[in-house]
Amino acid sequence: MSVLAHTTTQESSETTTGWIHACPQHRLEPGIGLAVLLPDGHQVALFTTRDHHLYAVDNLDPHTGATVISRGIVGDRAGEPTVASPMLKHVFSLTTGQSLDTPDVRLNTWPVRVDGENVQIATTPHPTQNASDPAQSTTRAEQGTP
Ligand code: FES
């Protein structure tokens, strides 16, 4: 699996969120994830489902620290689109990023849009109170305890 390179698209003046070109729409096959590298080093796993919905979640599996979610198995649980990590088979909702196995674990979800023939991903995730956000975890770890 390769991580797609990206080019920075023109930033919209109406919003502070930047968008990057992820890949042409025709590159995405239903159920086959694609890893996309954002300018800040985050990896995003991009999916399209058979009903042509686009989803983007963290590529980092919070259980193993491996960037493998894009290689996960897409399915659904009670109608909720999901991806199962290929490592330990933990299942996450593609719409919310929530782990359906571990209540306090979730993936960031990223806005996705189609611009002409191209799929674009926002450079910042949907806002969450995410305990497992790597950046927040790092900050807490760096602060240490007295
Ligand atoms: S830059 Fe990724 S497919 Fe064109």
Side-chain angles (χ1 to χ4, degrees):
M1 178 202 64
S2 61
V3 176
L4 282 183
H6 57 76
T7 52
T8 305
T9 57
Q10 199 178 0
E11 201 151 319
S12 165
S13 56
E14 298 152 20
T15 168
T16 53
T17 300
W19 295 86
I20 62 140
H21 166 68
C23 69
Q25 247 188 311
H26 65 82
R27 283 280 309 275
L28 276 179
E29 288 179 49
I32 309 290
L34 215 55
V36 179
L37 184 64
L38 297 185
D40 69 357
H42 265 100
Q43 283 190 31
V44 175
L46 176 64
F47 297 96
T48 185
T49 48
R50 293 195 189 285
D51 56 1
H52 306 293
H53 280 89
L54 288 163
Y55 299 99
V57 298
D58 286 337
N59 194 30
L60 184 77
D61 177 357
H63 294 283
T64 63
T67 46
V68 293
I69 297 296
S70 65
R71 287 188 274 158
I73 297 153
V74 172
D76 77 276
R77 208 179 257 187
E80 175 76 1
T82 58
V83 60
S85 169
M87 299 289 280
L88 299 174
K89 309 292 186 279
H90 289 106
V91 175
F92 300 90
S93 163
L94 281 175
T95 54
T96 66
Q98 179 64 50
S99 167
L100 302 185
D101 300 315
T102 313
D104 60 342
V105 173
R106 65 187 311 284
L107 305 174
N108 289 308
T109 59
W110 303 75
V112 192
R113 71 182 185 189
V114 174
D115 179 34
E117 287 300 304
N118 293 316
V119 179
Q120 298 183 334
I121 297 176
T123 53
T124 51
H126 285 118
T128 61
Q129 292 87 42
N130 184 4
S132 65
D133 183 299
Q136 290 178 24
S137 302
T138 304
T139 304
R140 275 196 300 274
E142 283 169 357
Q143 284 167 352
T145 49

